[in-house]
Amino acid sequence: MNFAAVKAIYLYEMARFWRTLLQSFVSPVISTSLYFVVFGAAIGSRIDQVEGVSYGAFIVPGLIMLSVMTQATSNASFGIYFPKFIGTIYELLSAPVNFLEIVVGYVGAAATKSLFIGVVILATAALFVDLEIQHPFAMLAFLVLTCISFSLLGFIIGIWAGNFEQLQLIPLLIITPLVFLGGSFYSVSMLPPVWQTITHFNPVLYLISGFRWAFFGQADVPIGLSLLAIALFTGLCLAAIAWIFRTGWRIRQ
Amino acid sequence: MAPIVEVSNLTKTYKGGFQALGGVNLEIEEGEILALLGPNGAGKTTLISTICGIVTPTAGSVRVGGHDTITDYRAARSLIGLVPQELTLEPFETVMNTVRLSRGLFGKPKDDAHIEKVLRQLSLWDKKDNKIMMLSGGMKRRVLIAKALSHEPRVLFLDEPTAGVDVELRRDMWDVVEELRKTGVTIILTTHYIEEAEAIADRVGVIAKGEILLVQDKAELMAQMGQKQLQIDIATPVSTLPVSLVDRGLTVEESGTRLIYTYDTRAERTGITALLNDLQAENIQMTDLSTTQSSLEEIFVGLVKESA
């Protein structure tokens, strides 16, 4: 294992994050505040409570998940797509590193960034509403696993993408809708029965539900299913990356 | 001593059937400067990319420092520095950061003293905190060289280091290469400028259509090239040379009306004056004089045409 290379990639990627610290932190803080104003204050005042939790607090896990998933995906996909786009990937390909080391470096950095953003949103949310976290370790584990798995997904997208449009395509067309429809801002039990059934096919539902359980001890689906879902998703991403590694798909001629 | 780079029967056929390399064999000695000369699309970059691991070969093998570049890629690649043809650098990064990344990628521990040495050698030290987009093209090329040297390679590949570079910068680059050679680094550079090969290489390899047509010591090649022929047409045919001219190294063409004198342009005395004096003394009347030269360019063009 070339640890020096993993460290070099990780620090280089993190350096970009620190350089744009202001936008990295300020934009999630502002968008979270906006969600609180719109959903919490305007709509929340009419909803009152969901499953015994104030609506303002209820949407916090969903909000964190929304940002973490999109940030992890876009960070990781951009991180590996950019060298491909400007050609600096030649250096990765000619260096004495294997694909695993490249993945750990890039995905590690993207996961760290999204974790930071998740924590910032949590802190911002704490300013607006009273939050209690019933299972802090489970909460942290869910958060970290989501950061890692969606960074893995982003990495795959970055390898796959042939242009900037494709880079945006999956986050925009798939991830955002799935997160919105996965119970970020409502409980599935509030939906008509047909939609409840359909929603259960949305994989993101299981992640948000598990995360919410860690906060409030309540969930749309059993916590075991949520754990299974995130393990399955991470496993799928890892398998795809292992395949890319073996075949050199889209990177090595 | 075993060659530092051994390329055996290297073949690359791209998807779609285009054969970029057709069984290349090449041995590169440690410490030499080898210039790979060839027209655009000859396979120069594919050859370098395959040695460096960017392109997977279809058949054949490459050993660098005795290590196979596929089965023992870590050991092989650690010995190699690559300076690509395109100026591929992240525009928003600083010189220092990008050079540090290169060193790390090659598994070397942080060593800012070494990086300082490399940057100073390339006159980049005062630019170390500049963003790359602020640098000129020539400086960017130096940054790429600095990246390649940051991890102390024993073999350095320079892919067209002076393509699209003005004359002054080109000479600058030659000086850089000469400096590097003094540090013992083996250098392989590709070029399509013949004068560049002449100026800096120890050996010259000619590549066209994915095949190496010739690899020769530059001095030998230059010796061939430095020879010139003087053709002297004479009015009265001669069958044998007069005694006084026998030792001059003249040859008589079959018709007997043309004498050919081969001489070395770089010699202190070409012997032309003495020859002409002797011809006059023998009362041989000359009707025409002309000279021809076989240049590296001619050899090169001839070879490339032959393979076409």
Side-chain angles (χ1 to χ4, degrees):
Chain A
M1 192 87 176
N2 185 346
F3 286 108
V6 175
K7 190 177 144 202
I9 296 172
Y10 182 83
L11 292 180
Y12 187 78
E13 283 298 300
M14 288 308 289
R16 182 181 305 155
F17 182 66
W18 298 126
R19 239 189 352 248
T20 55
L21 199 62
L22 203 65
Q23 71 209 63
S24 307
F25 278 85
V26 169
S27 75
V29 170
I30 289 181
S31 61
T32 309
S33 307
L34 284 175
Y35 278 116
F36 272 113
V37 171
V38 175
F39 287 97
I43 301 174
S45 60
R46 287 156 196 268
I47 296 181
D48 200 25
Q49 283 202 335
V50 180
E51 292 170 358
V53 181
S54 81
Y55 185 70
F58 179 84
I59 62 170
V60 171
L63 269 180
I64 295 174
M65 277 300 197
L66 173 66
S67 285
V68 162
M69 286 172 184
T70 47
Q71 289 288 332
T73 315
S74 66
N75 259 313
S77 61
F78 185 79
I80 189 67
Y81 177 75
F82 195 54
K84 246 178 50 173
F85 176 70
I86 60 171
T88 50
I89 195 155
Y90 84 87
E91 196 172 29
L92 283 178
L93 297 179
S94 62
V97 294
N98 66 25
F99 199 71
L100 181 69
E101 289 149 5
I102 296 176
V103 170
V104 173
Y106 277 101
V107 169
T112 310
K113 292 176 204 176
S114 44
L115 185 63
F116 264 108
I117 290 166
V119 171
V120 168
I121 294 175
L122 185 60
T124 312
L127 299 176
F128 287 87
V129 289
D130 287 331
L131 273 178
E132 50 153 355
I133 304 170
Q134 290 191 3
H135 310 280
F137 287 108
M139 189 279 288
L140 202 63
F142 255 103
L143 189 59
V144 170
L145 272 175
T146 306
C147 291
I148 293 173
S149 56
F150 276 77
S151 297
L152 285 170
L153 176 69
F155 188 87
I156 297 168
I157 293 170
I159 293 277
W160 164 78
N163 53 49
F164 276 101
E165 283 73 31
Q166 288 181 343
L167 202 60
Q168 306 285 350
L169 206 65
I170 292 186
L172 216 61
L173 284 185
I174 300 177
I175 297 176
T176 311
L178 284 185
V179 176
F180 267 90
L181 302 175
S184 318
F185 302 110
Y186 53 84
S187 164
V188 176
S189 59
M190 294 157 80
L191 295 171
V194 182
W195 284 102
Q196 281 194 30
T197 313
I198 292 174
T199 304
H200 279 86
F201 288 99
N202 180 352
V204 174
L205 167 77
Y206 298 86
L207 305 186
I208 293 176
S209 165
F211 195 49
R212 187 174 287 137
W213 171 86
F215 277 82
F216 310 121
Q218 288 169 355
D220 289 325
V221 291
I223 180 67
L225 266 182
S226 292
L227 283 172
L228 190 68
I230 188 124
L232 209 65
F233 180 64
T234 311
L236 272 177
C237 290
L238 284 173
I241 281 183
W243 178 80
I244 293 173
F245 175 35
R246 261 207 336 276
T247 57
W249 182 69
R250 298 244 171 163
I251 34 176
R252 209 182 288 270
Q253 290 165 312
Chain B
M1 203 170 62
I4 184 107
V5 179
E6 291 173 83
V7 179
S8 323
N9 205 23
L10 197 66
T11 306
K12 175 63 187 179
T13 309
Y14 284 106
K15 249 185 251 168
F18 174 68
Q19 194 184 52
L21 294 176
V24 168
N25 289 293
L26 182 64
E27 290 192 346
I28 299 160
E29 301 297 331
E30 182 141 29
E32 74 169 335
I33 300 183
L34 174 76
L36 281 174
L37 202 56
N40 289 326
K44 300 188 293 285
T45 301
T46 303
L47 177 57
I48 286 186
S49 301
T50 313
I51 295 173
C52 295
I54 297 169
V55 172
T56 315
T58 314
S61 68
V62 180
R63 296 173 78 81
V64 179
H67 306 286
D68 188 276
T69 53
I70 304 279
T71 56
D72 195 6
Y73 70 94
R74 280 193 203 267
R77 289 185 195 170
S78 330
L79 302 175
I80 300 177
L82 169 64
V83 181
Q85 186 175 343
E86 310 284 340
L87 295 174
T88 42
L89 287 161
E90 285 198 29
F92 310 112
E93 272 306 330
T94 64
V95 171
M96 195 64 181
N97 274 350
T98 187
V99 175
R100 272 197 194 127
L101 169 72
S102 301
R103 187 173 169 86
L105 277 179
F106 279 75
K108 294 273 162 46
K110 193 175 169 187
D111 182 353
D112 283 349
H114 174 74
I115 290 178
E116 177 174 346
K117 197 184 89 191
V118 169
L119 290 180
R120 283 190 190 281
Q121 189 185 357
L122 293 162
S123 321
L124 280 172
W125 182 244
D126 56 334
K127 301 264 194 289
K128 68 181 184 343
D129 297 319
N130 285 33
K131 283 190 176 169
I132 283 158
M133 60 188 195
M134 307 296 286
L135 303 179
S136 69
M139 282 293 163
K140 283 181 187 154
R141 180 78 62 190
R142 283 164 184 260
V143 174
L144 286 173
I145 298 178
K147 279 166 78 72
L149 291 176
S150 67
H151 52 86
E152 301 157 67
R154 278 168 64 199
V155 188
L156 182 67
F157 287 90
L158 293 159
D159 197 358
E160 309 235 354
T162 60
V165 162
D166 69 31
V167 179
E168 199 180 332
L169 265 179
R170 190 175 304 163
R171 298 207 176 277
D172 230 29
M173 194 57 65
W174 294 351
D175 290 341
V176 168
V177 170
E178 196 50 48
E179 282 297 309
L180 292 178
R181 182 235 283 279
K182 285 181 193 153
T183 64
V185 180
T186 307
I187 297 168
I188 296 96
L189 64 97
T190 68
T191 180
H192 47 245
Y193 299 117
I194 287 157
E195 54 158 351
E196 182 156 286
E198 283 181 26
I200 51 177
D202 298 316
R203 285 199 304 157
V204 176
V206 177
I207 180 168
K209 304 221 160 188
E211 281 173 41
I212 299 255
L213 304 176
L214 160 149
V215 182
Q216 206 170 10
D217 191 79
K218 186 188 65 176
E220 283 172 29
L221 214 55
M222 290 292 282
Q224 281 180 26
M225 199 190 67
Q227 300 226 317
K228 240 175 148 173
Q229 291 188 324
L230 173 66
Q231 296 172 5
I232 307 159
D233 291 339
I234 53 178
T236 326
V238 293
S239 51
T240 50
L241 286 168
V243 185
S244 67
L245 293 173
V246 169
D247 292 335
R248 287 270 175 220
L250 273 177
T251 51
V252 185
E253 281 207 346
E254 269 177 42
S255 64
T257 56
R258 178 173 283 179
L259 306 176
I260 294 173
Y261 174 64
T262 307
Y263 62 99
D264 190 340
T265 49
R266 293 165 307 162
E268 219 167 282
R269 290 169 177 277
T270 57
I272 294 175
T273 318
L275 175 70
L276 292 180
N277 284 339
D278 287 352
L279 286 171
Q280 202 172 22
E282 292 289 344
N283 261 330
I284 295 175
Q285 205 187 352
M286 295 172 268
T287 57
D288 195 12
L289 292 176
S290 63
T291 61
T292 55
Q293 179 173 34
S294 61
S295 64
L296 183 51
E297 178 120 27
E298 251 178 41
I299 298 172
F300 173 66
V301 170
L303 281 167
V304 172
K305 267 205 186 127
E306 253 171 55
S307 78

